[in-house]
């Protein structure tokens, strides 16, 4: 299960239904001390809202950067599914936390009463679009948990006879010579070959898994934009078996968006606002 401030702990845990709860310390820029504090403040009473969370935590243990990472990872989805708003409220949450802490330490109630949701800004803020939502989730966690950016392309992938990454990698071990795969570029490393040339090691991710493919220098210039991290692509890949392990070489690379556009015959726009 994705990370949650109400059900996750510092480490990975398994519940009575054998479901694995993602560890909050596995989120980037979030320290163990902050998570152990959040879990302690939560106790047996889940956080009911952002304001409730802000009143109960201490700014001595949790900082703005940690809140932003938790928001991007979806840890606040259980109380507010609008990740963009939670991310934007990080500074306001810290302000409420500081004010509440001062009141507790001084033995006085807040002069203006307890902070509520109305004290948090951006109430009408739109959430991130699906692609950005998943991109930020990947940056915070290192993988896609609540969906995958190419899920929306499934009809296109079916028409293009695309092989899932995991199936292709398994087949390459047993004799598959080539395949067409699709995915999001999640990593890129430029390396030098023994002959002095260049090659790129490109990580492609789809809902089934992740695979690394190579592209040689003669193609790098033409594919420069397509190999930028976050780009959805479709690739014809061949299996080279010269070494101990099979290597996957990209023969042709195209923008998945361009391929989808050519196969699209209509666009339906539903307007709900007058």
């Amino acid at each position: 299960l994705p990370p949650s401030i109400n059900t996750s702990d510092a480490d990975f845990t398994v519940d009575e239904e054998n479901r694995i709860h993602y560890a909050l310390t596995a989120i980037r820029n979030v320290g163990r001390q902050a998570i152990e504090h959040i879990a302690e403040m939560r106790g047996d009473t889940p956080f009911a809202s952002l304001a409730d969370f802000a009143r109960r935590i201490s700014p001595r243990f949790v900082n703005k950067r940690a809140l932003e990472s938790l928001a991007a990872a979806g840890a606040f989805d259980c109380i507010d599914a609008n990740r963009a708003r939670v991310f934007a409220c990080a500074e306001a949450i810290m302000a409420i936390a500081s004010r509440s802490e001062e009141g507790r330490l001084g033995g006085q109630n807040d002069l203006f009463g307890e902070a509520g949701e109305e004290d948090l800004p951006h109430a009408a803020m739109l959430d991130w679009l699906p692609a950005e939502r998943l991109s930020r989730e990947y940056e915070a966690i290192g993988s896609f948990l609540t969906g995958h950016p190419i899920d929306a392309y499934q009809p296109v992938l079916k028409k293009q006879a695309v092989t899932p990454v995991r199936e292709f990698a398994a087949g390459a071990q047993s004799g598959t010579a080539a395949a067409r795969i699709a995915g999001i570029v999640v990593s890129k490393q430029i390396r030098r070959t023994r002959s002095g040339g260049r090659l790129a090691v490109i990580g492609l991710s789809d809902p089934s898994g992740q695979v690394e493919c190579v592209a040689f220098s003669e193609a790098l210039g033409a594919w420069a934009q397509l190999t930028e991290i976050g780009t959805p692509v479709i690739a014809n890949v061949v299996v080279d078996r010269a070494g101990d392990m099979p290597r996957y070489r990209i023969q042709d690379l195209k923008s998945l968006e361009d391929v989808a556009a050519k196969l699209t015959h209509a666009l339906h726009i539903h307007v709900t606002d007058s």
Side-chain angles (χ1 to χ4, degrees), residues 121-188:
H122 314 296
M125 187 175 188
L126 294 177
D127 199 358
W128 294 317
L129 293 174
E132 182 176 3
R133 184 182 173 96
L134 289 170
S135 174
R136 287 177 180 264
E137 179 179 295
Y138 188 92
E139 289 175 6
I141 297 175
S143 61
F144 300 107
L145 286 181
T146 60
H148 197 281
I150 69 168
D151 286 340
Y153 294 98
Q154 289 305 322
V156 176
L157 303 184
K158 187 174 182 180
K159 289 181 180 179
Q160 291 292 304
V162 167
T163 302
V165 160
R166 181 182 298 173
E167 184 180 323
F168 164 66
Q173 301 294 328
S174 57
T176 298
R180 178 176 293 154
I181 62 176
I184 295 292
V185 177
V186 293
S187 64
K188 177 182 178 181

Side-chain angles (χ1 to χ4, degrees), residues 7 24 30 36-38 68 71 172 184 212 216 251 253 268:
T7 58
L24 294 181
V30 180
E36 289 179 346
H37 170 72
I38 290 173
E68 290 175 339
I184 295 292
E212 287 189 337
F216 289 97
Q251 277 192 320
L253 192 67
H268 299 269

Side-chain angles (χ1 to χ4, degrees), residues 40-60:
E40 181 184 357
M41 294 300 100
R42 179 182 70 203
D44 296 326
T45 307
F47 299 108
S49 64
L50 286 181
D52 179 39
F53 175 86
R55 290 192 299 265
R56 288 157 69 178
I57 65 166
S58 168
R60 291 180 294 121

Side-chain angles (χ1 to χ4, degrees), residues 99-111:
R99 194 172 69 185
S100 298
E101 174 123 307
E102 289 175 4
R104 287 193 296 270
L105 294 176
Q108 298 177 342
N109 292 327
D110 193 318
L111 181 62

